[in-house]
Amino acid sequence: KIMKIAIDSARVRTRALALRPANAQTHHLLGRLLALLERFDEARPHFERALQIDPANADAKADLGRLQAVIGR
């Protein structure tokens, strides 16, 4: 059930980015959802984009670090 919620939430956030592509929070949250779904290669650019938009986003920075540790890059 949690995976279906994550998939549905990822779809909503993807649509939100189509409307506001420069929203750091949405990129960050979509990255988290994709990482939860183990779609690591898709998650990484969203964490990176969140940090491009908002370099002070400590949560996105921490999540990107955890993702890099998991995938070894």
Side-chain angles (χ1 to χ4, degrees), residues 9-73:
S9 294
R11 285 185 186 133
V12 168
R13 300 233 179 330
T14 299
R15 287 193 297 265
L17 283 176
L19 298 173
R20 294 185 60 203
N23 186 307
Q25 181 179 10
T26 303
H27 276 286
H28 176 224
L29 293 175
L30 181 54
R32 276 190 171 179
L33 289 165
L34 291 167
L36 175 69
L37 295 168
E38 297 183 1
R39 292 165 55 181
F40 303 124
D41 288 338
E42 294 174 65
R44 183 182 184 136
H46 288 287
F47 291 137
E48 291 171 343
R49 182 66 180 129
L51 289 168
Q52 287 173 346
I53 297 165
D54 179 10
N57 187 329
D59 290 332
K61 189 177 288 189
D63 286 338
L64 178 60
R66 280 190 286 274
L67 177 71
Q68 290 172 329
V70 166
I71 62 175
R73 301 183 231 163

